[in-house]
Structure formats: C-alpha cells, structure tokens
Amino acid sequence: MKLKQFAAAATFVLSAALFTAPTQAQTVEEFYKGNTVTLMVSAAPGGGADLYARAFAPFMSKHLPGNPNVVVTNVPGAGGLTAAAQLQNSAPSDGTVIAALQRNNLYLPLVSPEKLAFDPREVNWIGSLNKESYVLITWENAPVKTLDDLFVRPLTIGSTSFNNENRTFPAMINEYLGGKMEIIPGYKGNDEIALAMERGEVQGRAVTTTSLLGGNDANWLAEGKLNVVAQLAMRPNAAVKDVPMILDRVTDPKARSVFEFMFLPLDAGRPFAAPPGVPEDRLTALRAAFEAAAKDPGFIAEVAKQNATVEMIPGLEIHEILEKLYATQPEVLDLVKGLLVSG
C-alpha cells in the first residue's frame, strides 16, 4: 500500500514538474511571421490620413520583425472617436491591430459635454508621421485678403464637423480676437469645401498646410487664386514662412491659454496607437518599426509625390503632449468647452 502511495506521489510530482517546466517563449519575429496586422484609419478613404496610412503600410510591414502583411481598413466616424473607442475597448491586444487616429482625440475626452468611450491615456501611442500646422485661406475675390482684413471685413468660410479644427480654430479667432467669420459646418470633406469656394458658396476655409501644398490647393496657390491669410499653429511653418502667425495677435493670457491648448495637439500631427495591454516586447517592436518605416527613403519619396512631408514623432513624445493637455487648468478647459457648444 505504501509502495502504491509512493508511486502515485512520484507520478504526481513528475507530472507537475512537466506541467510547470519552462517553455521556449515565442519571439516577436515568430509571432508576426505569416500573421496579419490591421491598420485602422479613423477617416474615410481619400483624405490625408488615408493617404499617409496606405503609403505607410508596406513600409511598416518591411520593418516589423517577421514582415507580417499590413492591411488598411477605414473606420470613420465621430471625428475619429469611433476608431479610437474600438481600439481601446474591443480590438485584440496581441499586437495585431494598430490605428491611425486623429489629433483631436487627444483632447476631446477632456472637454466634450458627453462622456466618451475613449481615454487617450489608456492606449499605447506608437508615433506620429508629422507635425501639422493650419492656415486660413481665402478665394481670390474674397473681401479678406490679409490678416488685418480679417478683423474689419466679414468672411464666410466652410468647415466639416462641428468639433473639427477647421471650425474650432476660426471660432477661437471670432471669440477672442474679434474676427467676423460666418462659419458654415456640415461639408463632407475638404474637397467639398474647395468646390464650394470655387462656386462662390463660401469664401475661404481653415486647412492644414499639408493640404494647402498638395492637390488642387497647390495648383490654385500657384495660379494666384488663393490668399494665405494667417498661420494657425504654435510655431511658424517654413513652407509658408512669410505668412503672419495668429498667435502674434493674442495678448490676453487667458485667450492665449485657449489657443495654446487647441494648437498643442498639432505637434502630434498624424498619431498612431496600439490597444492597451499589448505585450511589452511587441509594443517595443511596433514603435521601432514605426520609426524605421517613417525614416525609410522609400516612404518619404512616396508621400513626396503628393507634396506631403514626414517629420517622425516618437510615441513617447505623444504621451508627453497628453501630460501637458491633462495638466490644463479647469478654467481654461471651461473656455474650450464653450467653443465646442457655440458657433
């Protein structure tokens, strides 16, 4: 009996040892080899975000260990928050999903009157492909042609969604600097606003400098059909260096705090993120591959065909931008909230 008990105990110990014996961990390369990575784009096809993402995908595949296939899928809606919420709350956290989000996703959860299903501090920021800046442009026959004109003459401009920068930036100018712009939201995209300008429905718009220097805007600029009235950004963009900075007109400290809060996310440009909980070795690999792909001469040449540029921002710098945004004083946040609920 004792012999049987001893044999049973020995068998149990051996089984437990085999069960708990260390196994060879799967390397990052082994995980990604033959796998597929989904790159969600938080905007509709055809826009700047989609352009960057589709040009970027093959280079991300090239530099990620194991060279997985990187497939782009568009998840537009709610100013990018549809994709952002999906990334945070339901996307697999194994490193097979990343997303090209929108920079307003960094601050909207702080100031939205509604509780949003996204917290930008919860996801893992991988990096950004550029720093962005905005300009205010007007059509050739618009009454506003210079920055001084903006404060003495009326101007009708088009915008897309109510919380988009192409509405909130002009709204700040109206609210704090005495601009006289009538802002008409609801256009489906920049191309539709451009057509409205050409038809005379509106006289101008706020647009990224990247968009200004590419496509129809670049042609119109070369033909003298556009006036570039002001730069809307934290610092001058060398591509439009002779255009005055709107911040130079902001002297009130509270107003300047609002402008700086709204302009700061532009330094995150076109940010990419991964879900919470991605294993550390895969997250490190995603960030390293992102940086290598962004610096790849082939990718830089690809986006240059669209007159776009690349200025890679590491993921940890995006987290630093978030820290600054979330350290904003409550009274400043209240002023920003006012911009989002009034015209």
Side-chain angles (χ1 to χ4, degrees), residues 4 124 143 179 187 195 212 235 253 320:
K4 287 183 179 179
N124 292 297
Y187 286 95
L195 288 173
L212 173 69
R235 61 191 61 81
E320 291 172 4

Side-chain angles (χ1 to χ4, degrees), residues 268-327:
R270 301 186 182 278
F272 286 57
V278 175
E280 195 61 37
D281 57 343
R282 295 175 197 170
L283 179 60
T284 299
L286 286 168
R287 285 175 169 158
F290 183 93
E291 294 190 19
K295 295 175 181 177
D296 192 302
F299 172 64
I300 294 170
E302 189 65 30
V303 296
K305 295 176 184 177
Q306 303 293 331
N307 292 323
T309 58
V310 179
E311 185 181 1
M312 194 280 300
I313 313 299
L316 294 180
E317 284 193 22
I318 299 176
H319 284 281
E320 291 172 4
I321 291 171
L322 273 172
E323 288 180 9
K324 293 178 181 177
L325 290 171
Y326 275 77

